[in-house]
Amino acid sequence: MQSTQAIVTRLTRLTDTSLIVHWFTENHGLIKTVAKGARRPKSPFAGKIDLFFGGEIAVIQARRGDLHSLREVCISHWREGLRRSYTSTLLAAYCCQLLEAAVEPEHPDPELHDLLRRALDHVDAAPASLRALRHFETELARLLGVSQLQGDASLSLRDALGTLPASRSELVERLSSMSDFSSSADGIRR
């Protein structure tokens, strides 16, 4: 059994009672686990597995394939603030989707794990913003070694990955309208 710090990036229903949980881990990179019985009311996983939750997990590695068995979960970061606003949830999901597109499965990268953790913690504590989105993209491009000195990080990432998650256009539109509203509200207060 192996233990590591991990963040839930995606959930998929496997059966009526079980889930496939995608984690971005500190020691093993992007992994998939099966959480048997997680959807049962009296499951030991009940209330411990949801998007963007973070903590320590214990996993038994699969003998064949890439679907490992989840044995234990100890959540320390619930990130409840991400659920207060659709835009915050959308930004957190975009960060996870972009990271999943950028990394190879089961390739450890502690710096990328730290970047995702910091991004989710920031959006948990503060309102989602265009600045936060751009900072995440800039840092991801830098860590992946694809940043262009004077260029837009999203263009560098798009060139390196082939495409960006489809949710980006709606996210940028929402964040832009929020910053426009914020600017006009500041003007009214003066």
Side-chain angles (χ1 to χ4, degrees):
M1 193 155 31
Q2 301 172 356
S3 294
T4 185
Q5 290 294 313
I7 298 167
V8 178
T9 60
R10 189 178 349 161
L11 297 169
T12 307
R13 183 176 167 176
L14 179 62
T15 66
D16 288 340
T17 60
S18 299
L19 292 170
I20 295 176
V21 186
H22 295 246
W23 304 87
F24 194 69
T25 69
E26 185 174 40
N27 299 335
H28 308 289
L30 188 62
I31 64 169
K32 293 187 294 188
T33 63
V34 61
K36 294 179 182 174
R39 301 187 73 220
R40 289 188 179 128
K42 295 185 181 184
S43 167
F45 298 126
K48 295 181 179 179
I49 299 175
D50 204 354
L51 285 175
F52 319 124
F53 279 11
E56 189 168 341
I57 63 170
V59 174
I60 295 179
Q61 194 164 5
R63 291 183 192 158
R64 285 183 279 168
D66 62 352
L67 188 59
H68 311 293
S69 288
L70 183 64
R71 287 293 170 228
E72 295 176 16
V73 177
C74 182
I75 298 300
S76 54
H77 302 289
W78 304 94
R79 298 188 176 96
E80 294 169 358
L82 293 175
R83 289 157 181 78
R84 291 188 188 119
S85 154
Y86 175 69
T87 306
S88 293
T89 304
L90 193 61
L91 178 55
Y94 173 76
C95 291
C96 291
Q97 291 166 353
L98 187 57
L99 198 61
E100 283 184 346
V103 299
E104 292 291 322
E106 301 191 24
H107 177 77
D109 195 327
E111 286 182 317
L112 291 179
H113 178 267
D114 184 57
L115 174 64
L116 180 62
R117 181 194 54 77
R118 288 184 295 117
L120 295 178
D121 287 347
H122 175 77
V123 179
D124 180 40
S129 67
L130 206 48
R131 184 173 182 222
L133 167 72
R134 289 189 177 128
H135 179 75
F136 182 81
E137 290 176 336
T138 300
E139 285 298 297
L140 181 60
R142 182 185 66 77
L143 290 170
L144 294 175
V146 298
S147 64
Q148 299 169 358
L149 295 177
Q150 299 297 328
D152 182 358
S154 66
L155 297 177
S156 298
L157 289 167
R158 188 193 67 208
D159 290 346
L161 304 175
T163 186
L164 295 176
S167 61
R168 188 180 193 280
S169 58
E170 178 188 353
L171 178 59
V172 168
E173 186 178 315
R174 284 178 162 276
L175 293 172
S176 295
S177 67
M178 288 173 58
S179 65
D180 291 345
F181 176 75
S182 172
S183 297
S184 65
D186 287 342
I188 292 170
R189 281 184 241 160
R190 290 182 185 162

